[in-house]
Structures are given as structure tokens and as C-alpha cells.
Amino acid sequence: MEEMYQPFEILLTDDGEVIVLVEPEKDLMSLLQKESLNIEVDIDVDYDDEDEELYLLVTAYIDGTEIFFALPYGESWEALAEKGAFTVAFISEADLEKGNSDNTPTMTIQLDDLLVGFVEGCQRTAEVLFEEWEEFGMD
């Protein structure tokens, strides 16, 4: 059975990088020691009726471990499409709050062209939908 982890926070840097902050669990940290990793990324889109918000649902499968997170429609979608990657930072909430991030291990996960195209397509579709909703006063 795969272990599944969710970030405690997702950041968008000034230079347009999506950084996913995950607690440095033992299983996750062992991944950083491996010479080669089998990494697959799956991205889906979903609409949350309660929040009335579109989300990209991102799952990174890394050697039997899953990191799952949701990105609300907006700048994070644009950044993900532009960079074609996101970074996972293995840091505890306590270290983040104290500013102890100097030696934080990270892993950058590249998206293939198909996934980048999917994100771009979702973004364009969302823009069209939101324009139509505004035209009909449905915002």
C-alpha cells in the first residue's frame, strides 16, 4: 500500500515557483537518498460547489509514495504551466515558523509536455467559463 502525504502549506514565490511544503517524514526522507526514482505525476481538474472554485488536483507518485495537493485557480496555475515544474520542500511547520529553512532538502518535479498542455488547457477553459459567467451575472 502506498503512503500518502499532503502538504501543510503551498507557496508561490515572487519568481513564479510553486513550492509544496511537506513534513519531513522518515519514509519521504529516505527517497532523497536513492540514486534514481520512479516519478509519475497525475493532474486532474475539479470544481468545488461549496467554495465555487476550480482546483487542479496534483498527485506525485514517487517510488510507492504519494504527495497530493490541490491548487486553486489563479496565479498558481499560470506558474505551474510556465515553469513546468513544482518543488517539494521537506520542512516541519515548526522549522518554517522559526525561519530554520537554510538546509531544507528539496526535490523539483518536472511535468512532461502533455501535463503542461493539460494545465494550459484548463487555464484557458477556466478563463472562458469565468468570462461567460460574468456576462450572465452568475459570478
Side-chain angles (χ1 to χ4, degrees), residues 61-101:
Y61 301 94
I62 309 166
D63 277 3
T65 301
E66 290 181 30
I67 297 176
F68 171 82
F69 59 97
L71 294 174
Y73 172 73
E75 291 179 15
S76 60
W77 289 26
E78 187 176 329
L80 191 60
E82 259 183 45
K83 294 281 186 183
F86 61 91
T87 299
V88 179
F90 302 96
I91 186 170
S92 68
E93 282 188 79
D95 283 343
L96 180 66
E97 288 172 9
K98 293 177 190 172
N100 298 338
S101 59

Side-chain angles (χ1 to χ4, degrees), residues 27-112:
D27 293 342
L28 290 173
M29 298 310 290
S30 67
L31 294 174
L32 296 173
Q33 307 304 318
K34 293 186 175 185
E35 286 187 31
S36 66
L37 294 170
N38 180 26
I39 299 174
E40 293 182 34
V41 178
D42 183 44
I43 300 178
D44 201 355
V45 66
D46 191 30
Y47 181 77
D48 186 313
D49 290 326
E50 261 182 50
D51 294 341
E52 296 181 350
E53 184 79 59
L54 280 170
Y55 290 91
L56 284 180
L57 307 176
V58 182
T59 307
Y61 301 94
I62 309 166
D63 277 3
T65 301
E66 290 181 30
I67 297 176
F68 171 82
F69 59 97
L71 294 174
Y73 172 73
E75 291 179 15
S76 60
W77 289 26
E78 187 176 329
L80 191 60
E82 259 183 45
K83 294 281 186 183
F86 61 91
T87 299
V88 179
F90 302 96
I91 186 170
S92 68
E93 282 188 79
D95 283 343
L96 180 66
E97 288 172 9
K98 293 177 190 172
N100 298 338
S101 59
D102 292 343
N103 295 317
T104 301
T106 62
M107 175 186 296
T108 299
I109 298 177
Q110 295 292 136
L111 304 180
D112 62 25

